[in-house]
Amino acid sequence: MAELMDITNQIRHAFPEKVQDIIEFRGEVTVIVDPSAILEVAHYCRYTEGLQFNLLSDLGGNDYFPAEPRFGISYVLYSMSLNHTIRLKVYLPNSDPTVDSVVSMWQGANWMEREIYDMFGVTFTGHPDMRRILMPFDWNGYPLRKDFPLGYEEVAFSFNNDRVMAKKPHPME
Amino acid sequence: MGVSSKLGEMGVITTSLETAVNWGRTRAMWPMLFGLACCAIEMMATQASHYDVSRFGMELMRASPRQSDLMIVAGRVSRKMAPVLRRLYDQMPNPKWVLSMGDCASSGGVFNNYAILQGVDEIVPVDVYVAGCPPRPEQLIDGILTLHNKVMGEKIKDWA
Amino acid sequence: MTLSRDELIHASGIISDEQTLETSLDQLRGLVSPAAFTGETMLLNMGPQHPSTHGVLRLLIELDGENVITVLPDIGFLHTGIEKNMESKTYEKALVMTDRIDYLNNQGNTLVFSLAVEKLCEIDVPLRAQYLRVIVAELQRINSHLIWLGTHIMDLGASSIFLYALREREYILDMFEEISGQRMMGNYNRPGGVWRDVTPRFMTQVHKFLKYLGPKLDDYEAIVTENPIFVDRTKGIGVISAEDAINWSVTGPYLRGSGVNLDWRKAAPYSCYDHFDFEVPLGTNGDVYDRYIIRLLEMRQSIRIIQQALDGLPTGPTRTTNRKFAPPPRAELGSSMEALIHHFKLWTEGFKAPVGEVYVRTESPRGELGVYMAGDGTSKPHRVRFRTPSFVNLQSIGVCSSGVLVADLVAIIGSIDIVLGDCDR
């Protein structure tokens, strides 16, 4: 715990105006970084002595609609030699959801960034292959955004059975 | 079954055409490998030695749709997979039957959202539905036997 | 009547009317080598319905004769929208969907979800519940590795191992049915502990099974491990170096095959795994053969862990007594007003989680299974993300399969051990 705070203070000293905040919750430490500096901070975390975060555990996205900034991307990094975990977090506005891709640091970010593009619509500049991965290639919309409907089918009771059945497609023989 | 067998070494049975054809169809119905998700694991357990489905003539799971009669849709069908499923169904030669295994294939199951087809009968006509999440191997065998009873009851005018 | 080439392609229904063949190949322009467009190499579609892809995985393979040049996986055929669906359910209702994500590791999925809820809401878990969770998780690991063994060896040609492995699995499924009522989707781990205590019959079943399994694993090793056909088909195939594996965020037996010692049960112990003494098998070459050996050794280590957990199983409650999160026993409802109110609140509204986000990781049979959970003060999660091992491990298939033959690709897919429900969620 204490050494994690040392590490985050070291990052804050290296990038004084780019680190916006450091949060500690339930034993985990999150460093909130300005989106324009994520590649430099990632490089620093990867290659500096004492940090050496060489495994990218997780790259996840979150949508805070209607609050601004709307999108949050979190990078969970793990150091194999020193056995500590840290999270970097980046907040992106709705008007410009783009951020640099960290594929050049960790190749494992390839499909994780494609999934965030598919589900949230956040584009990563510098990614070698920015296409949809889970949804069909001609799907419209970004499913995990809060303003995308769940798309569920109404439960059919006797009073609305005809209405529900009329909307379902029926197979041709 | 109107059976009258000749005594002695002749060994002749007389029956109706419908019964003979339906008997041939049910006793060696080859399923097509269409395991999608968790129900596929229970389908594999049904094929294995404990709940042997080979006693019904079905241990030969053909991967090619052109060589199979029965499509057991085992698992949830997503919207990306639906055209593939329909094309495979179209490639199967007649006579063909569809058995929808599990809750997700029958009605969408636990998942009621944008990504899952609410029942595979939206795209293919289904003969037997087997409920369960996942259905036990005994339930699947019960579904197969129900299908056999249904096929044994088919008449000539249904085939034409 | 003769049709032109374009008319034939449209009439056969391969592509829709709006596309032409040129544009559908255009999407691949940066991804396959330029020789594919001139016809020197062949693009082969190993489609979503295939006997050896272990589910609905589509691979676009660029071939030069029989040699593989590029492999492009196309996933998403089993995408279920579980993460979005969980945002409209309470925490306890969302637990039901977690079993179905990685359907060969049901107990592991509910375990990691329960651990995330417990970390977020600061719920304590009694010691007996943690030991029971370990027993069930290790039984699930043996279960998953048995299916892997059966299907992998069947893909390589020996189909009798498939029948043997599924026979052993029936014993484990009987045990799961004993404690939770269901063979596969047990929903046994809940936030705060486990659903209910185990019966004495379960303990005798586990004891008998542990004695039974060891000699059976020796039998399977005798059939497969020294078999010259198996060794030829798997030694030196699908090699990935340790630096590449770490760079591509690979975890699990796939990573340990290359010699990297990372097992989350030892590196970040959860649910009392640090009370038990076990080894983590490592490989040397990073090929398919090493991963096979590692998974067999892991099954034996799981037997060891279960034996230690059974011997040291403490007495006590099996679910937290914090009534804000766990429902009271039904016997109390007739006599205690607080129990009735807690029961009512939990069943209608569910418990509320604080604002904040956590990330919890466990070691599933395939690699690192993690849950990123963000609460927002209401009784429904704001965001649940499952970091699944098959999704992350599958990206590196291009790295370890350059220059192999098509038949070796089947062995490599089997050794990565993907489950498509885990991959697509």
Side-chain angles (χ1 to χ4, degrees):
Chain A
M1 211 35 247
E3 69 258 16
L4 279 178
M5 294 309 287
D6 287 338
I7 291 171
T8 49
N9 285 333
Q10 191 181 346
I11 300 179
R12 197 205 280 268
H13 282 191
F15 298 92
E17 69 280 346
K18 300 293 186 180
V19 170
Q20 291 168 351
D21 203 358
I22 295 183
I23 301 179
E24 192 258 310
F25 181 74
R26 305 280 189 259
E28 296 178 8
V29 177
T30 307
V31 180
I32 304 185
V33 177
D34 201 46
S36 56
I38 183 67
L39 209 48
E40 302 164 329
V41 177
H43 189 275
Y44 183 80
C45 288
R46 174 110 203 242
Y47 292 110
T48 319
E49 208 41 56
L51 272 70
Q52 287 170 339
F53 288 106
N54 52 356
L55 184 72
L56 175 72
S57 256
D58 184 30
L59 226 181
N62 205 343
D63 181 15
Y64 296 102
F65 186 81
E68 273 290 330
R70 183 172 178 180
F71 298 107
I73 314 280
S74 50
Y75 304 75
V76 177
L77 308 175
Y78 175 73
S79 163
M80 303 206 54
S81 40
L82 304 166
N83 195 14
H84 44 230
T85 311
I86 185 183
R87 181 189 294 135
L88 298 177
K89 194 143 183 195
V90 161
Y91 284 100
L92 303 173
N94 192 10
S95 49
D96 181 32
T98 42
V99 75
D100 287 326
S101 159
V102 294
V103 165
S104 48
M105 291 294 125
W106 301 282
Q107 289 273 27
N110 198 324
W111 276 18
M112 301 200 227
E113 292 183 342
R114 274 178 75 183
E115 191 199 343
I116 298 185
Y117 166 68
D118 192 7
M119 292 284 126
F120 289 100
V122 173
T123 35
F124 291 85
T125 49
H127 192 275
D129 182 19
M130 196 95 258
R131 304 180 275 153
R132 286 195 181 264
I133 187 169
L134 292 175
M135 302 309 294
F137 66 92
D138 51 359
W139 187 266
N140 286 327
Y142 301 106
L144 272 172
R145 289 192 173 185
K146 294 287 179 196
D147 47 358
F148 189 90
L150 183 56
Y152 64 90
E153 187 190 66
E154 233 179 303
V155 182
F157 294 101
S158 48
F159 68 90
N160 63 356
N161 191 37
D162 297 326
R163 188 180 57 201
V164 175
M165 287 296 146
K167 282 201 221 138
K168 280 169 81 85
H170 291 280
M172 313 127 332
E173 290 294 331
Chain B
M1 198 164 169
V3 176
S4 66
S5 54
K6 286 216 161 164
L7 297 166
E9 310 90 54
M10 293 292 283
V12 174
I13 307 177
T14 60
T15 175
S16 65
L17 178 65
E18 290 167 349
T19 325
V21 171
N22 288 339
W23 175 81
R25 284 178 176 177
T26 53
R27 294 306 184 260
M29 201 183 264
W30 289 355
M32 183 170 78
L33 259 186
F34 211 72
L36 297 166
C38 349
C39 285
I41 310 294
E42 286 293 42
M43 192 165 71
M44 276 162 42
T46 315
Q47 261 180 291
S49 46
H50 200 83
Y51 301 99
D52 193 12
V53 87
S54 160
R55 41 195 165 137
F56 305 110
M58 299 173 93
E59 85 277 2
L60 207 59
M61 291 230 165
R62 286 298 186 197
S64 165
R66 303 243 183 238
Q67 295 169 6
S68 50
D69 314 290
L70 170 68
M71 181 158 89
I72 303 184
V73 183
R76 45 198 190 247
V77 185
S78 73
R79 297 212 180 267
K80 197 169 174 182
M81 189 67 193
V84 179
L85 195 147
R86 180 71 211 187
R87 183 179 298 165
L88 286 168
Y89 177 75
D90 289 336
Q91 283 179 338
M92 283 167 71
N94 270 324
K96 54 190 174 188
W97 298 278
V98 174
L99 186 143
S100 149
M101 174 182 179
D103 286 341
C104 291
S106 309
S107 71
V110 200
F111 308 108
N112 192 356
N113 53 30
Y114 61 92
I116 292 288
L117 230 52
Q118 299 298 305
V120 79
D121 52 2
E122 287 187 8
I123 49 175
V124 292
V126 175
D127 293 296
V128 175
Y129 300 85
V130 179
C133 190
R136 283 191 66 115
E138 288 104 329
Q139 284 176 276
L140 178 61
I141 292 177
D142 183 50
I144 291 174
L145 292 178
T146 313
L147 183 63
H148 284 185
N149 287 340
K150 179 178 177 187
V151 174
M152 289 299 285
E154 280 183 1
K155 304 274 173 241
I156 290 188
K157 52 181 184 328
D158 297 330
W159 304 336
Chain C
M1 181 178 85
T2 52
L3 295 171
S4 72
R5 180 170 167 269
D6 281 336
E7 284 167 359
L8 267 176
I9 290 171
H10 283 300
S12 66
I14 299 175
I15 48 179
S16 67
D17 292 330
E18 290 82 38
Q19 290 174 304
T20 61
L21 196 59
E22 274 41 78
T23 51
S24 61
L25 271 184
D26 231 5
Q27 294 162 1
L28 304 172
R29 205 161 280 277
L31 303 165
V32 292
S33 73
F37 295 95
T38 57
E40 284 166 40
T41 55
M42 177 171 79
L43 282 174
L44 182 69
N45 177 41
M46 203 160 145
Q49 193 254 355
H50 193 276
S52 352
T53 52
H54 297 270
V56 278
L57 169 68
R58 177 170 171 240
L59 292 176
L60 206 61
I61 314 176
E62 187 193 350
L63 292 172
D64 178 20
E66 281 254 350
N67 295 312
V68 169
I69 302 182
T70 333
V71 177
L72 286 179
D74 183 15
I75 58 173
F77 288 96
L78 202 57
H79 178 63
T80 321
I82 289 183
E83 298 174 353
K84 183 148 184 103
N85 217 339
M86 283 191 178
E87 291 171 13
S88 45
K89 292 184 186 278
T90 62
Y91 287 93
E92 191 118 358
K93 287 187 190 172
L95 190 66
V96 169
M97 299 186 136
T98 53
D99 279 303
R100 285 130 180 103
I101 295 175
D102 177 358
Y103 39 84
L104 290 180
N105 184 30
N106 315 100
Q107 314 290 348
N109 296 353
T110 47
L111 174 64
V112 69
F113 188 85
S114 306
L115 286 173
V117 173
E118 285 152 17
K119 190 170 184 185
L120 182 65
C121 307
E122 286 188 317
I123 310 174
D124 63 298
V125 182
L127 203 59
R128 184 177 170 89
Q130 296 192 25
Y131 273 56
L132 284 175
R133 280 179 170 180
V134 166
I135 295 177
V136 165
E138 292 303 315
L139 279 174
Q140 185 71 57
R141 189 181 309 271
I142 299 178
N143 193 343
S144 170
H145 282 331
L146 280 172
I147 291 251
W148 161 81
L149 184 70
T151 49
H152 185 212
I153 311 288
M154 184 166 77
D155 284 343
L156 295 177
S159 43
S160 48
I161 304 282
F162 175 71
L163 295 173
Y164 295 147
L166 288 193
R167 176 191 62 186
E168 322 311 347
R169 195 174 159 257
E170 290 293 327
Y171 293 112
I172 304 184
L173 291 176
D174 279 344
M175 287 185 245
F176 285 158
E177 197 182 359
E178 177 72 25
I179 51 173
S180 67
Q182 248 266 35
R183 278 156 57 103
M184 279 169 66
M185 318 297 179
N187 209 3
Y188 186 59
N189 296 315
R190 307 274 170 107
V194 294
W195 175 41
R196 63 177 189 185
D197 207 351
V198 294
T199 52
R201 186 158 166 253
F202 174 74
M203 313 289 262
T204 36
Q205 278 177 325
V206 177
H207 272 296
K208 260 186 9 188
F209 179 69
L210 293 178
K211 290 198 201 44
Y212 165 82
L213 188 64
K216 292 291 175 191
L217 287 179
D218 294 333
D219 284 345
Y220 306 149
E221 289 207 9
I223 300 176
V224 182
T225 310
E226 302 286 324
N227 192 325
I229 300 179
F230 181 71
V231 169
D232 271 341
R233 279 199 77 167
T234 55
K235 268 221 158 112
I237 304 290
V239 177
I240 188 167
S241 65
E243 303 88 59
D244 272 341
I246 300 177
N247 206 3
W248 283 91
S249 296
V250 168
T251 46
Y254 188 16
L255 176 68
R256 295 198 279 277
S258 308
V260 181
N261 188 357
L262 179 64
D263 186 332
W264 294 111
R265 295 174 291 173
K266 294 257 190 205
Y270 53 94
S271 184
C272 285
Y273 264 106
D274 43 356
H275 292 200
F276 307 116
D277 176 40
F278 60 99
E279 287 166 14
V280 175
L282 294 176
T284 43
N285 300 330
D287 58 4
V288 173
Y289 189 75
D290 277 351
R291 292 175 217 144
Y292 158 80
I293 297 285
I294 285 177
R295 288 192 177 103
L296 279 181
L297 289 174
E298 277 190 7
M299 278 201 261
R300 294 186 195 274
Q301 295 299 318
S302 290
I303 297 178
R304 208 170 138 191
I305 298 176
I306 301 176
Q307 192 64 55
Q308 292 172 46
L310 276 183
D311 294 338
L313 189 64
T315 51
T318 49
R319 202 162 177 193
T320 178
T321 44
N322 187 347
R323 292 286 163 240
K324 297 277 181 284
F325 298 101
R330 289 201 72 94
E332 275 183 27
L333 291 183
S335 51
S336 156
M337 192 57 178
E338 289 81 22
L340 193 63
I341 297 177
H342 281 135
H343 177 102
F344 177 75
K345 292 288 286 183
L346 280 174
W347 254 250
T348 52
E349 193 192 19
F351 55 83
K352 293 196 168 65
V355 177
E357 49 191 27
V358 291
Y359 179 75
V360 173
R361 40 161 69 111
T362 58
E363 178 80 20
S364 97
R366 274 151 257 295
E368 172 186 347
L369 176 63
V371 165
Y372 164 74
M373 185 178 287
D376 59 353
T378 62
S379 57
K380 301 189 177 163
H382 181 80
R383 169 89 168 106
V384 178
R385 170 185 153 78
F386 281 86
R387 182 258 191 238
T388 47
S390 305
F391 182 75
V392 181
N393 288 357
L394 192 54
Q395 349 173 34
S396 55
I397 192 172
V399 172
C400 68
S401 64
S402 50
V404 297
L405 303 177
V406 178
D408 296 329
L409 202 58
V410 168
I412 294 175
I413 297 174
S415 80
I416 301 179
D417 194 10
I418 48 168
V419 164
L420 264 301
D422 200 29
C423 196
D424 294 341
R425 278 155 278 141

